[in-house]
Amino acid sequence: MTRGAYDGITVLDFTQGVAGPHASMLLALHGADVIKIEPPEGDWGRLLGELKGDHCAHSVAFNRGKRSIALDLKSPDGIAVVKKIAAKAHVVMESFRPGVISRLGFGYDDIRKVNPKVIYCSVSGFGQTGPYSKRPTVDGLIQAFSGMMVMNRLPDGTPWRQGMIAVDVTTGLYTFQAIAPALMRQLRFGEGSYIDSSLMRAAAAYQGAKLMEYVFSKGTPPPLYMPAGSYKTANGYMMVSAMRPHHFRTLFELIGRQDIADDPDLQTHESRIKNAPKIIKALNETMPGKTTEEWIALLQPNDVFCERVNNYQDYLDHPHVTESGSLDWIEQDGFGRMPVANIPGLPPASTHPPQQHAPHIGEHGPDILRELGYGAAEIDAIFSRGGVRAPAVMAKAAE
């Protein structure tokens, strides 16, 4: 396998949930040794959905390639272990509410005293400063706060939350892209840095063009073009997009609505947006007359942009997805066979199965302790005191 860009980089990862773990997972998949610090009961992100063993789909999806050690950050043993890792880590990541990690003794100022070149990244809901900084929040609330729900509103105007944790996932991507150049500065110039990443900032960055458009249009942004939307067919739904004039004319000629193609009120970009209800009405009247497959067979060969509205099973089964290598399937110990979306810029998951493994709670505790210089007797004593949790398999064998 090709060497990872971050081979030899150590990441001390306190993050839980999705946003921080997504960012640290990307570092791990690019070769970093990500040491996941979990509380003895495990990352709360393991409970986001149906649980099987100590994993749910989200915890598998966002923790692949890491090593886990479970410990109590207030216990003497837990504190000692974390201090040893922090002293050698290139990157430290945390996602507690602002102020909590400093009270525990592992804030940025604490770590850089022993590790001046460290890159320290805090991931929170509203950021580290400002009147909302300590306010608890989750993905859906930031969708509401940032305007995303209004941008994603239903046809009747009802604000609508996206059905997936879009802000959390996006925050992970923005956090990863912030850490990547920080690592370049660290390696080239020996500089450490502090990164304040938040769900609020990521949601705004993701919607940056819409924020500009809102101001530019004085609060009434028009559709980008018309028609563009999903329409019911005889057996499902399909998405139609006809931005350019010839796309618009060809679409309505092919579906048998010459009246719309020739309508003098619909011959310019501006007039089509102004008279959108007329276009939408014609499509809603006409599209149910054929199946999605029949419409696509008619429209796509004539360069009209359209696509079937798929569910996830349709996507997983699609021959193009298979042949293009967009997906792999991995066997997660104790969880089952799961699809993995191959990430651009990374080799297929199937080429390096160990890197796709999501750790069980504290699974790598013994290995990590040995690497830190603890002997076998010391490790047994640490586990017996309970400040660091023994892996479940090891604990069960000892019963």
Side-chain angles (χ1 to χ4, degrees), residues 283-324:
L283 289 168
N284 284 334
E285 290 172 347
T286 309
M287 302 311 284
K290 294 182 186 292
T291 66
T292 299
E293 291 72 28
E294 289 171 330
W295 283 128
I296 287 176
L298 176 65
L299 298 174
Q300 280 190 351
N302 289 284
D303 294 328
V304 176
F305 293 2
C306 60
E307 196 58 72
R308 180 176 185 247
V309 176
N310 288 330
N311 59 33
Y312 285 147
Q313 193 61 55
D314 296 328
Y315 183 83
L316 291 170
D317 294 340
H318 201 285
H320 177 77
V321 173
T322 302
E323 292 176 25
S324 65

Side-chain angles (χ1 to χ4, degrees), residues 178-202:
I179 293 172
L183 275 166
M184 180 66 77
R185 289 194 301 272
Q186 184 190 67
L187 295 172
R188 291 186 67 194
F189 310 122
E191 295 178 0
S193 58
Y194 180 78
I195 298 168
D196 177 2
S197 182
S198 68
L199 273 66
M200 181 190 71
R201 280 190 173 188

Side-chain angles (χ1 to χ4, degrees), residues 102-157:
S102 293
R103 290 197 297 273
L104 290 169
F106 300 111
Y108 177 50
D109 290 337
D110 301 303
I111 301 300
R112 67 176 177 170
K113 287 176 184 176
V114 296
N115 189 348
K117 298 178 183 178
V118 72
I119 296 164
Y120 196 104
C121 178
S122 295
V123 182
S124 62
F126 287 98
Q128 300 298 305
T129 60
Y132 274 25
S133 61
K134 291 182 171 59
R135 189 168 182 150
T137 194
V138 292
D139 183 285
L141 298 185
I142 295 295
Q143 288 193 34
F145 181 85
S146 68
M148 184 180 289
M149 285 176 61
V150 173
M151 183 272 289
N152 195 43
R153 63 183 177 270
L154 298 179
D156 67 1

Side-chain angles (χ1 to χ4, degrees), residues 316-343:
L316 291 170
D317 294 340
H318 201 285
H320 177 77
V321 173
T322 302
E323 292 176 25
S324 65
S326 295
L327 281 174
D328 267 328
W329 289 81
I330 62 168
E331 188 72 32
Q332 171 65 33
D333 176 37
F335 195 76
R337 190 168 179 263
M338 287 289 110
V340 172
N342 283 323
I343 298 170

